[in-house]
Amino acid sequence: MENLSRRRALTLGAALGLMGAVGGSKAWAWPASDSVAGAGAGTDPEYVWDSTVDPLMATLIDNGGVPAVNTAIKGWVNNGDALPSGLPAALTAHLQQANRLPAWADTAKLSRAADFNRRRDTYLFMLYGLGSGIMSTVIPREARSVYWSAGGADMQDRAAKTFTFGYDLSQLKAFEPTGQFVVTANKTRLVHAAVRHLLPQSPHWRAVSNQTIPISAADILVTFHSLGTYVRRRLLDWKVPFPAADQEAFLHSWQVALHLLGVPDEYIPQTWAAAEAQSQQVLTPILASTSEGLELAEDLLGLTAQIDLGVTRGFLNEFVRYVLSDDVGDWLGLKRDYAAAALVRTAWPAYILFREGLSPVMPGTFYVVDQFVRALAMLFLNKGTSPTATLITIPTGNRPAA
């Protein structure tokens, strides 16, 4: 049985484009010398949270100060905006230090990453939305934390807010004063700290979790690999032109993002080789089905029924299987549609060839695929409105009745 599980995990890792050893939990062995810091204490990130923000948010929640903070940060949107007035002094002091790029950030690389994101926006959207988004439902800790937190009760709203994070990161001026990602990342960091304080108070979460505190630095790294590392590997698998300089810039945007989320620099991979090595340890071995993940996946995939742009659920199920493997599709109980499967496996490669100018003939399925992309975009872009209208707010409780 153990050998079967190992073979299945190896197959799944290959299908997801994530190379790596598999098995049970292992002692932290990734070298800090491979990080952007170049050195570190070697502490397992499994036991590292956010010592700066966590006690601050716990005090705000316990003292009932969160609603006032949410009101104050509502209009704080662009990176160049002044910090909102009316915040507690300790929070203002923190943001004065955190609301900036790290000293090692390379603006030229960030600009190149923005241009890459613009040129590859369709592929990135599909991979982030239907690849990484659905993969998150088979990452047990993430699925359980999402489900039992306040956001898990309204998945369309949460999906819109999650998409805002990726959308802001992908914008042309994401890290510039007129961009929004630095602010978005800092708000997200505050939300993470609030969830770390709130979820341990949920008996439902405690009953299914193997953690005492959620969203460790290791968990954030897992999320990064399910996003950045996975997407890079998939683009290479699909033979989308991806020059080395673009790959380096794409990684750099994620390095800065991880720093802004509070991950210590000693855990942030310096190169893609280092990122791949890290993902071998932290991502592929932990993928599994949970009851919470099954419900979240069904909620997310069921959203397409709200907008009819020619997208069928069978096509959606088969696209998920195409980008994440049949193992994941089986875990999630996605019904097979073999006609749609054949269409996906022929239409998507043809779509890429035409978009990349590698084929002069527009495939007959181009319109179907394009409508598929548009339908999903309408859903994740907060019911068709601008993503800037999706407000990131700090929670004050867990899932209702949790």
Side-chain angles (χ1 to χ4, degrees):
M1 184 67 176
E2 181 179 347
N3 288 336
L4 176 61
S5 298
R6 180 178 177 82
R7 287 197 301 273
R8 187 175 189 183
L10 283 166
T11 302
L12 178 58
L16 295 179
L18 298 167
M19 304 174 293
V22 295
S25 299
K26 298 179 180 179
W28 179 248
W30 190 80
S33 57
D34 284 347
S35 70
V36 296
T43 304
D44 190 336
E46 174 78 6
Y47 306 104
V48 175
W49 291 274
D50 196 330
S51 59
T52 301
V53 184
D54 289 354
L56 176 61
M57 293 310 302
T59 298
L60 279 173
I61 292 170
D62 292 344
N63 292 342
V66 169
V69 170
N70 280 331
T71 299
I73 67 175
K74 185 176 181 180
W76 180 42
V77 177
N78 292 331
N79 301 332
D81 290 348
L83 291 179
S85 59
L87 295 177
L91 180 55
T92 297
H94 160 69
L95 292 174
Q96 286 173 339
Q97 295 298 315
N99 192 46
R100 64 181 68 175
L101 298 179
W104 46 262
D106 185 323
T107 55
K109 288 182 180 179
L110 293 177
S111 294
R112 186 175 186 117
D115 183 62
F116 165 77
N117 290 331
R118 175 188 60 81
R119 289 181 281 114
R120 297 289 179 258
D121 58 354
T122 297
Y123 311 137
L124 293 175
F125 176 76
M126 297 303 290
L127 286 171
Y128 283 147
L130 286 180
S132 304
I134 302 302
M135 193 195 302
S136 71
T137 69
V138 292
I139 298 174
R141 284 182 175 177
E142 185 166 350
R144 287 165 173 155
S145 292
V146 167
Y147 185 87
W148 292 112
S149 65
D154 185 347
M155 282 307 293
Q156 178 149 345
D157 179 69
R158 189 183 189 281
K161 291 176 179 176
T162 302
F163 185 79
T164 296
F165 185 90
Y167 183 91
D168 289 349
L169 175 60
S170 300
Q171 290 305 288
L172 277 174
K173 299 183 183 298
F175 296 93
E176 298 180 22
T178 55
Q180 299 178 1
F181 183 74
V182 178
V183 171
T184 295
N186 272 283
K187 288 182 179 180
T188 302
R189 184 176 177 184
L190 298 181
V191 170
H192 285 170
V195 171
R196 290 190 193 100
H197 182 62
L198 291 166
L199 263 186
Q201 300 175 35
S202 164
H204 302 282
W205 179 79
R206 292 199 307 270
V208 296
S209 178
N210 60 359
Q211 294 176 292
T212 56
I213 304 172
I215 318 180
S216 67
D219 294 329
I220 298 176
L221 291 171
V222 167
T223 300
F224 156 61
H225 291 301
S226 74
L227 290 158
T229 306
Y230 162 75
V231 165
R232 171 183 174 265
R233 180 56 53 190
R234 265 290 175 252
L235 291 176
L236 292 174
D237 289 344
W238 288 346
K239 304 190 185 318
V240 173
F242 202 178
D246 282 354
Q247 293 185 45
E248 185 177 355
F250 182 60
L251 174 61
H252 192 63
S253 67
W254 275 105
Q255 290 169 335
V256 175
L258 289 169
H259 174 91
L260 291 173
L261 288 174
V263 175
D265 289 354
E266 69 175 273
Y267 302 116
I268 302 175
Q270 174 67 30
T271 64
W272 278 119
E276 291 281 6
Q278 191 181 83
S279 73
Q280 292 176 9
Q281 181 169 352
V282 301
L283 177 58
T284 307
I286 67 172
L287 297 174
S289 176
T290 63
S291 59
E292 292 87 354
L294 287 170
E295 187 168 334
L296 293 177
E298 185 58 34
D299 285 347
L300 289 171
L301 294 172
L303 291 177
T304 55
Q306 299 178 24
I307 297 177
D308 182 9
L309 288 176
V311 180
T312 69
R313 178 58 190 268
F315 190 94
L316 184 64
N317 286 354
E318 292 300 337
F319 197 90
V320 170
R321 286 178 175 272
Y322 176 62
V323 296
L324 286 182
S325 81
D326 282 330
D327 276 337
V328 171
D330 290 344
W331 287 349
L332 297 176
L334 302 183
K335 293 181 180 179
R336 298 306 309 257
D337 183 329
Y338 291 102
L343 178 61
V344 167
R345 284 160 173 73
T346 56
W348 187 251
Y351 182 77
I352 292 175
L353 287 173
F354 181 74
R355 281 184 58 92
E356 295 302 318
L358 301 175
S359 171
V361 180
M362 178 186 289
T365 53
F366 186 89
Y367 180 75
V368 173
V369 175
D370 201 49
Q371 288 293 87
F372 178 48
V373 175
R374 290 174 184 273
L376 291 170
M378 289 290 288
L379 288 166
F380 286 111
L381 285 173
N382 207 18
K383 298 185 180 179
T385 64
S386 166
T388 58
T390 302
L391 301 176
I392 297 177
T393 55
I394 301 166
T396 57
N398 294 312
R399 186 184 183 96

